[in-house]
Structures are given as C-alpha cells and as structure tokens.
C-alpha cells in the first residue's frame, strides 16, 4: 500500500497543480517555462560556487589532510570518549553531503547498521547539515558576501548535533 502511494504521490501532486492552474485560468505551461528559465539562471549563477566546493572536497579527501586533522584532535576525542570511527564523518559532514554519504556507507558496511557506531552514524547524518554547501548556495543566490556569523552558528549547530548523537547512544 505504501509503495503504491509513494509511486502515485508525484503524479497526483502534478495533476493537482495543473488542475488548480486551469481552474484559476492561468497558462500553466507558460508559467512552468518561466520558472524553468529562472531556475536555469540560478543554476548558472551558483555553478562556480558549487564547482569550488566539489574541488575542495576532492582535494581534502585525497590529500590525507582529513586523517591528519583527526590525529591532531584525537587527544580531545579520546578524553570525551568520542568513537574514532565516526570522526571522518564528523569532519566531512559540514562540507559535503555526497562525501559524507560515502563515509557513512563505509562505516555502516564495516561496523553494521545496528551497531552502536552504525546508529551514531545514521543519527549524525540525520541531525546535521552540509553547512558549507548550504551556506554557499543560499548566500550566493541572494548575493550575501559576509557570512561569518551564519557560519559560526551553523557549525555550532552541527557540533551540537554530533555530540548529542554520541551522547544519546552512550546512555542507551
């Protein structure tokens, strides 16, 4: 039943939008084309920002800097009893969604989805955001140049999400 509803949801929403447009006597297809043109302009405007993020993430993952950063903060993480297995995810999650998905998949493949590490990993994925990507997309779309306060608060929220995920599974 859920599979049927899921498969039918998008066509039903599209039909409702078209029906509403016809009832309101709007030119539905012309309005759709206007939206596509505006969306294409936004994509072209955001492309350099996104390309820069993707290149930076690729360089970070392949250079070994991530492993070095994890080793540098290991005394703190060991003191706080943060599992070292999730540190690559905690470090890459604010930067890239696709890279963090790959890291999370690797962690769950190695330790299992029902293990404590797997549960912490899935909770981190659900309770944090790809902060740099999100800020880059939204601020460049509206032309904001100064993001330091937004970045600080967003990274603090990510840290709280990660620490809360670990804390919850440490008391369970």
């Amino acid at each position: 039943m859920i599979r049927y509803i899921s498969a039918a949801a998008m066509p039903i929403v599209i039909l409702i939008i078209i029906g509403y447009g016809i009832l309101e006597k709007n030119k539905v297809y012309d309005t759709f084309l206007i939206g596509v043109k505006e969306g294409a302009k936004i994509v072209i405007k955001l492309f350099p920002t996104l390309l820069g993020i993707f290149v930076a993430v690729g360089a970070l993952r392949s250079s070994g800097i991530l492993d070095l950063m994890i080793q540098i903060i290991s005394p703190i993480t060991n003191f706080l009893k943060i599992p070292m297995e999730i540190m690559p995810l905690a470090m890459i999650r604010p930067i890239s969604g696709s890279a963090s998905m790959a890291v999370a998949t690797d962690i769950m493949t190695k330790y299992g989805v029902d293990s404590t590490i797997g549960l912490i990993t899935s909770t981190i994925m659900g309770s944090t955001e790809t902060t740099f990507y999100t800020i880059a997309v939204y601020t460049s779309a509206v032309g904001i140049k100064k993001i330091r306060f937004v970045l600080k608060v967003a990274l603090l929220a990510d840290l709280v999400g990660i620490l809360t995920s670990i804390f919850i599974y440490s008391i369970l």
Side-chain angles (χ1 to χ4, degrees), residues 98-154:
S98 58
S100 62
M101 185 62 73
V103 170
T105 302
D106 290 344
I107 291 170
M108 289 187 197
T109 301
K110 186 173 183 179
Y111 297 99
V113 293
D114 290 333
S115 68
T116 301
I117 299 299
L119 293 171
I120 291 171
T121 298
S122 61
T123 306
I124 288 172
M125 289 296 289
S127 64
T128 58
E129 182 58 68
T130 54
T131 303
F132 289 100
Y133 174 82
T134 305
I135 289 174
V137 169
Y138 288 127
T139 56
S140 66
V142 294
I144 297 173
K145 300 288 184 203
K146 297 180 182 177
I147 62 164
R148 76 179 158 195
F149 296 119
V150 172
L151 182 60
K152 288 176 185 176
V153 171

Side-chain angles (χ1 to χ4, degrees), residues 26-44:
N26 288 333
K27 297 179 180 178
V28 177
Y29 190 69
D30 291 340
T31 305
F32 171 74
L33 289 179
I34 291 169
V36 168
K37 288 177 186 175
E38 290 175 9
K41 288 177 186 176
I42 291 171
V43 167
I44 290 169

Side-chain angles (χ1 to χ4, degrees), residues 17-28:
I17 291 169
I18 291 171
Y20 182 77
I22 291 170
L23 285 176
E24 293 290 319
K25 299 186 189 312
N26 288 333
K27 297 179 180 178
V28 177

Side-chain angles (χ1 to χ4, degrees), residues 57-77:
V57 167
L60 183 66
R61 288 189 75 192
S62 63
S63 68
I65 292 175
L66 187 61
D67 294 331
L68 178 65
M69 290 173 23
I70 291 170
Q71 289 301 322
I72 290 171
I73 65 168
S74 66
I76 298 168
T77 58

Side-chain angles (χ1 to χ4, degrees), residues 3 10 14 21 33 55 58 61 72 88-89 123-124 133 139 158 166 168 170-171:
R3 184 174 286 171
M10 283 307 294
I14 291 170
L33 289 179
V55 169
R61 288 189 75 192
I72 290 171
L89 176 63
T123 306
I124 288 172
Y133 174 82
T139 56
D158 282 338
I166 295 164
I168 287 171
S170 70
I171 61 171

Side-chain angles (χ1 to χ4, degrees), residues 76-89:
I76 298 168
T77 58
N78 291 339
F79 177 75
L80 295 174
K81 296 183 179 160
I82 297 173
M84 289 302 292
E85 298 86 356
I86 60 133
M87 288 312 298
L89 176 63

